[in-house]
Amino acid sequence: MDQRARIAMSGDEVAGFLRDSRKLQLGTINPDGTPHMVTMFYALTEGRLAFWTYGKAQKARNIERDPRVSCLVEAGDDYAELRGVLVYGTARLVDRPEAVLEVGLEITKRMTGLTDAEVTPELRGYVEHTARKRVAYVVEPTRVVSWDHRKLSAPATA
């Protein structure tokens, strides 16, 4: 078994890693072709990465022009601990106010660690107010690459 195949995560491991993480590095393409990279909190919508942003943000303008994105979620400090998932895909615009709010609430819960029952009316009101100027995106994956260097310390199996 080659090293690359040995450290790849299974589908269940990828899903669990994305479920347990909170931030991703979002790559979009600037008008001049250079990468635009930002850190975003995210939610999962039917297992897909979802994020929101102000409609006039550079990333939103880039996606409007070219919806191809890269999303990197990673963990670990030392080489032997590195884990990550890189999702290449197409960002699909979500602009219905109710759907934008839903994405925003899911992101807020992940950021704060709150459950549905713990979201106060004041917090919900703040998210609703913020959502008026935002759009959301769901990433439709075209390719997923993963690695878990912790598997390097485990014996290789054929």
Side-chain angles (χ1 to χ4, degrees), residues 16-48:
F17 183 72
L18 293 177
R19 182 192 63 240
D20 295 340
S21 299
R22 300 181 325 148
K23 295 183 294 182
L24 58 79
Q25 302 295 315
L26 172 67
T28 61
I29 303 167
N30 281 319
D32 66 359
T34 58
H36 180 261
M37 300 293 299
V38 293
T39 302
M40 304 287 297
F41 285 98
Y42 70 91
L44 292 171
T45 299
E46 296 178 1
R48 292 181 181 89

Side-chain angles (χ1 to χ4, degrees), residues 45-58:
T45 299
E46 296 178 1
R48 292 181 181 89
L49 298 171
F51 57 92
W52 72 341
T53 187
Y54 291 103
K56 303 239 183 233
Q58 184 65 51

Side-chain angles (χ1 to χ4, degrees), residues 13-130:
E13 289 171 324
V14 167
F17 183 72
L18 293 177
R19 182 192 63 240
D20 295 340
S21 299
R22 300 181 325 148
K23 295 183 294 182
L24 58 79
Q25 302 295 315
L26 172 67
T28 61
I29 303 167
N30 281 319
D32 66 359
T34 58
H36 180 261
M37 300 293 299
V38 293
T39 302
M40 304 287 297
F41 285 98
Y42 70 91
L44 292 171
T45 299
E46 296 178 1
R48 292 181 181 89
L49 298 171
F51 57 92
W52 72 341
T53 187
Y54 291 103
K56 303 239 183 233
Q58 184 65 51
K59 61 190 135 319
R61 292 174 24 221
N62 288 348
I63 291 169
E64 183 179 309
R65 189 181 54 265
D66 184 340
R68 294 176 296 165
V69 297
S70 298
C71 300
L72 171 65
V73 180
E74 64 174 347
D77 291 319
D78 295 326
Y79 185 81
E81 301 169 347
L82 294 179
R83 294 176 295 149
V85 173
L86 176 56
V87 177
Y88 296 97
T90 303
R92 178 176 45 84
L93 177 67
V94 176
D95 57 359
R96 265 189 18 264
E98 313 81 43
V100 173
L101 176 59
E102 184 177 319
V103 170
L105 284 169
E106 288 302 313
I107 290 169
T108 301
K109 288 187 296 188
R110 287 171 68 93
M111 287 173 60
T112 60
L114 297 175
T115 64
D116 284 334
E118 296 170 319
V119 173
T120 64
E122 294 81 13
L123 180 57
R124 182 179 175 88
Y126 173 77
V127 175
E128 287 174 346
H129 177 76
T130 304

